Amino acid sequence: MLFLTRIAYFLTLVLIGYASIVSDILNALEHAVDCGSCHTLLGVLQGVALLGDSIFSSALVSVCEAAGVEDDDVCQGLLTEQGPIIAHDLRSISSTGQTASKLCNAVLGLCQDPAVNAFTVPFPKAAPINPKVFTSTGKPPFQVAHFSDAHIDRMYTTGADSNCTKPICCRNFADQTGPVQIPAGPSGSLNCDTPTTLVQSMLRAVAAENTQFSIFTGDVVEAAVWLVDQTENTSDMQQFNTEMQTLLNSPVFPAIGNHEAAPVNAFPRNTTNQGQVQWVFDTQSQGWNPFISTAAASQVQHMSGSYSVNPVNTNLRIISLNTIYWYKDNFYLFDSDKFQPDPNGIIAFAVQELQAAEDAGQRAWIIAHMPPSGGDALHDQSNYFDQVVQRYKNTIAGLFFGHTHKDEFAIGYSNYNNQTADTADAIAWIGPSLTPRQANPTFRLYDVDPDTYEIMDSRTFMSDMSDPSFQSSPIWKQEYSARDTYGPAIGGWPATQSLNPTFWHKVTEAFVSNDELFQTFNSLKTRGVGVSECTGDCKTTTICNLRALRAENNCIAATPGINFRRAEEKVDASQRGHIDHCEGIGLRTIFENIALKTVAGHNLTVDGLLTNSFKRTMDPESLIKRAHDAFSKRSYIVINAY
């Protein structure tokens, strides 16, 4: 009896101690209003991380569950996977250093991006005084397809609800027991990732376009990031590789996406002593071998997913880079205070291959998943990559990315302090997504000059989900031509001239003066779905971002001062931190949702968790039980961690 009493007393102390940990986290969250107080928050989290991964992750799960920002299974699955990475970071860095500021920027948006660390990329040779000039002889262009962000959901279920409480829908989730509101169609639905029928339809549509080859800029796996694991992701990658090989009638050159890893985004640097992602590179090395050659497949395996290839019968070198090593949501990038300018040698590899192309008199395309232009790119690596682009600008004919899920572009300049048509010297083609999660499914078709390998036109093809035939047999139609849509607005553009950086800078100038043209672009970005009004500051910021292939020059800024106690201010989460349409749900979005809960007037304290409804359809007694259950459940895990 005495033994049981002592055990009960011990369990009570553990529960009290655990509730105190959660209370400390919530209190620090409440007071995180700027960069300095975010560092204080990291200090609190650092203390919890020192108690071990299980305790750290369990505490985050408790906060997420009790606050009701996501369904319990999403909180548990996601934070159990991501929590140990953050805990590892916190145990490895100072809570007051530059790396901590970057982590605050990535997770909470409460620190601005630090100033770029000075680093000069080494080049084997200086730029030639008289570089080779690539001149078009007027030959007919050849066609290249560009598809991206497939996010194929092999568990997509026709008839399941497409209006659910999860980050993606159209699955039979065990806790979704109510009547189906909007049944998922066989070919895809909004709020859901891509069913097998849709991805195969797209591949057949590409095959019908007589392409010389295709490029795929990454993200095979669906966004159920709280459920994915290595086994599922490996199977998903293998199945899509087989589909591309069997349904396309020309080669495809792919890039690694952030969703290929499990946990999502988790690409440890080769200096990191935990986690591993070599299985992604091994899987894709084997699966891509039929498209890219044995030599390139070996590079995938040994160069962290990057490779270079010369398509048959071309004078073009395609360089595929794994830019997830520059991605803010790859939390392994924050596990050291020692500055690493080129994680895993991705920039050095680009230099090596571009120098080889220059020496051979070739043009080059660079393909990758995440563009270096957005708010989710680390400024350091974006700056260093820009140095590479400027050095090899006579060799590079095009840069191609995905990740944003939007139909857009980004311009690079030789002088960002003087952005003009004359200084525009690089253009990034950012391809829209196949997944119908947020917009109509899409792919692009480029008309490519066979002498210069520059883009003569970019045509976006779309399958309209509102078309009555979509669910039975998707029809892929040209949505628009970039040349036809924008050329007349800049006073015409010569038929013999490519859609080069000068063209696109002039288009942005036309956006400034021609609001109807800008609104057309704004609608085309999301293929006419969920188009939000964009005027005033929104328009100015959008144009600024289009002129910022180098991330430090974009107008996406973290918004410090999101005081978790201020109920009187309205918070626009899209303006906080950085914008990432690819990610869906992540640690950052969970913290942002907690912020939105509190700014809406909720009290995020332990007592508040026990008394506030967070606008959930529960009575107070149920809420009290819910919070107690959350603490008790996680405490059980903590006890077992010992």
Side-chain angles (χ1 to χ4, degrees):
M1 190 66 167
L2 179 61
F3 173 76
L4 293 177
T5 301
R6 288 175 175 175
I7 288 294
Y9 179 68
F10 171 72
L11 294 177
T12 300
L13 290 177
V14 170
L15 184 59
I16 293 171
Y18 184 71
S20 177
I21 290 173
V22 175
S23 178
D24 288 344
I25 294 173
L26 290 172
N27 185 60
L29 278 169
E30 268 198 291
H31 292 86
V33 299
D34 55 20
C35 191
S37 50
C38 186
H39 282 274
T40 301
L41 169 62
L42 291 190
V44 172
L45 293 174
Q46 198 170 53
V48 182
L50 291 172
L51 298 175
D53 290 350
S54 295
I55 294 175
F56 182 85
S57 299
S58 296
L60 293 186
V61 172
S62 288
V63 172
C64 181
E65 287 183 351
V69 294
E70 293 291 342
D71 288 356
D72 286 0
D73 60 328
V74 177
C75 291
Q76 187 169 349
L78 181 68
L79 295 175
T80 299
E81 292 291 331
Q82 295 286 337
I85 301 174
I86 299 295
H88 163 73
D89 292 343
L90 293 170
R91 290 191 295 267
S92 305
I93 64 173
S94 164
S95 64
T96 59
Q98 187 190 87
T99 302
S101 292
K102 291 180 178 180
L103 186 58
C104 276
N105 173 272
V107 177
L108 284 165
L110 291 175
C111 290
Q112 300 294 339
D113 288 279
V116 170
N117 289 285
F119 175 74
T120 301
V121 176
F123 299 113
K125 298 179 182 179
I129 298 174
N130 297 305
K132 180 177 179 178
V133 177
F134 296 86
T135 305
S136 175
T137 59
K139 297 175 184 175
F142 63 88
Q143 281 63 50
V144 172
H146 177 189
F147 48 95
S148 193
D149 296 88
H151 292 292
I152 308 162
D153 188 356
R154 302 296 180 181
M155 298 183 189
Y156 182 101
T157 303
T158 300
D161 206 333
S162 64
N163 183 28
C164 70
T165 60
K166 310 291 183 186
I168 64 166
C169 302
C170 299
R171 285 184 172 195
N172 287 327
F173 295 108
D175 59 346
Q176 303 289 304
T177 57
V180 172
Q181 299 179 42
I182 306 174
S187 295
S189 301
L190 285 172
N191 305 319
C192 309
D193 271 334
T194 309
T196 299
T197 52
L198 182 60
V199 70
Q200 293 183 354
S201 172
M202 182 275 293
L203 292 173
R204 292 189 181 97
V206 168
E209 294 295 334
N210 193 32
T211 57
Q212 186 158 331
F213 58 83
S214 297
I215 55 175
F216 169 59
T217 48
D219 268 6
V220 175
V221 181
E222 90 286 345
V225 296
W226 70 102
L227 295 172
V228 297
D229 57 26
Q230 179 176 337
T231 300
E232 179 192 332
N233 286 22
T234 299
S235 175
D236 286 351
M237 288 186 284
Q238 291 172 335
Q239 191 165 344
F240 187 48
N241 289 335
T242 299
E243 287 168 331
M244 290 192 292
Q245 186 175 1
T246 56
L247 296 177
L248 294 176
N249 50 17
S250 63
V252 58
F253 303 110
I256 296 284
N258 57 295
H259 276 260
E260 271 69 287
V264 66
N265 311 324
F267 285 77
R269 293 180 290 195
N270 50 25
T271 57
T272 298
N273 60 10
Q274 78 168 44
Q276 65 91 18
V277 76
Q278 185 61 40
W279 57 272
V280 172
F281 309 141
D282 293 343
T283 299
Q284 297 301 56
S285 173
Q286 182 178 9
W288 293 351
N289 195 317
F291 314 129
I292 67 175
S293 81
T294 300
S298 178
Q299 288 180 320
V300 171
Q301 196 168 25
H302 297 101
M303 282 305 306
S304 301
S306 299
Y307 68 91
S308 173
V309 66
N310 173 219
V312 176
N313 298 323
T314 72
N315 191 38
L316 177 70
R317 183 178 295 245
I318 295 179
I319 304 167
S320 180
L321 301 179
N322 183 358
T323 56
I324 313 308
Y325 289 102
W326 311 342
Y327 180 37
K328 288 181 180 179
D329 278 4
N330 179 6
F331 297 131
Y332 275 122
L333 298 177
F334 308 115
D335 72 349
S336 174
D337 283 323
K338 182 179 180 180
F339 177 60
Q340 298 184 38
D342 186 16
N344 286 41
I346 305 302
I347 290 171
F349 179 78
V351 170
Q352 169 191 302
E353 296 303 322
L354 285 165
Q355 187 62 59
E358 182 180 88
D359 291 346
Q362 298 172 327
R363 292 312 295 271
W365 282 8
I366 292 178
I367 67 173
H369 181 62
M370 186 201 70
S373 54
D376 48 10
L378 289 166
H379 285 194
D380 289 324
Q381 283 67 46
S382 177
N383 178 286
Y384 311 150
F385 179 70
D386 180 70
Q387 294 180 38
V388 176
V389 171
Q390 295 306 316
R391 162 61 182 86
Y392 294 102
K393 61 186 176 183
N394 294 304
T395 297
I396 298 170
L399 303 137
F400 304 87
F401 304 96
H403 185 65
T404 72
H405 291 201
K406 293 189 175 182
D407 192 336
E408 50 192 351
F409 60 91
I411 308 166
Y413 296 87
S414 59
N415 183 356
Y416 275 93
N417 294 320
N418 183 30
Q419 295 176 322
T420 67
D422 292 332
T423 62
D425 62 1
I427 181 65
W429 305 84
I430 303 174
S433 62
L434 171 63
T435 176
R437 194 191 315 157
Q438 300 135 326
N440 287 309
T442 319
F443 69 88
R444 275 188 186 160
L445 203 64
Y446 298 121
D447 295 333
V448 184
D449 186 286
D451 297 311
T452 67
Y453 299 95
E454 296 173 9
I455 306 301
M456 303 304 292
D457 197 8
S458 170
R459 294 175 286 143
T460 297
F461 285 72
M462 179 185 80
S463 189
D464 187 351
M465 290 190 288
S466 66
D467 189 310
S469 67
F470 176 79
Q471 294 301 345
S472 58
S473 180
I475 298 173
W476 300 86
K477 296 180 180 179
Q478 181 174 310
E479 183 188 18
Y480 78 101
S481 151
R483 179 179 288 272
D484 293 346
T485 300
Y486 300 122
I490 61 172
W493 194 250
T496 57
Q497 189 75 277
S498 69
L499 303 189
N500 57 28
T502 298
F503 170 87
W504 286 107
H505 180 83
K506 288 181 176 291
V507 170
T508 63
E509 290 179 328
F511 286 166
V512 174
S513 57
N514 185 341
D515 190 63
E516 182 179 356
L517 184 72
F518 175 78
Q519 298 305 332
T520 296
F521 165 78
N522 188 48
S523 177
L524 291 172
K525 274 206 306 184
T526 57
R527 286 82 81 194
V529 175
V531 180
S532 56
E533 181 181 3
C534 189
T535 58
D537 289 345
C538 173
K539 178 177 176 179
T540 301
T541 299
T542 299
I543 294 172
C544 168
N545 293 339
L546 294 174
R547 294 174 176 171
L549 181 58
R550 191 172 68 178
E552 68 199 76
N553 297 99
N554 66 42
C555 292
I556 302 171
T559 306
I562 296 297
N563 188 328
F564 289 0
R565 296 179 299 170
R566 289 183 300 185
E568 71 275 9
E569 295 187 12
K570 180 180 180 182
V571 176
D572 179 359
S574 69
Q575 298 303 310
R576 295 185 66 246
H578 57 285
I579 299 171
D580 185 354
H581 299 278
C582 179
E583 184 55 37
I585 186 67
L587 186 60
R588 168 171 40 84
T589 53
I590 283 176
F591 275 115
E592 287 181 347
N593 287 337
I594 292 173
L596 290 174
K597 291 281 190 181
T598 54
V599 172
H602 303 301
N603 177 25
L604 271 194
T605 64
V606 172
D607 290 340
L609 288 173
L610 298 177
T611 57
N612 290 332
S613 70
F614 297 96
K615 295 188 178 179
R616 296 172 66 89
T617 54
M618 289 183 178
D619 57 65
E621 290 184 2
S622 298
L623 282 164
I624 293 172
K625 183 178 184 300
R626 177 183 178 82
H628 276 304
D629 287 348
F631 296 143
S632 300
K633 179 168 56 177
R634 307 260 56 85
S635 296
Y636 173 78
I637 296 174
V638 171
I639 292 166
N640 279 279
Y642 290 104

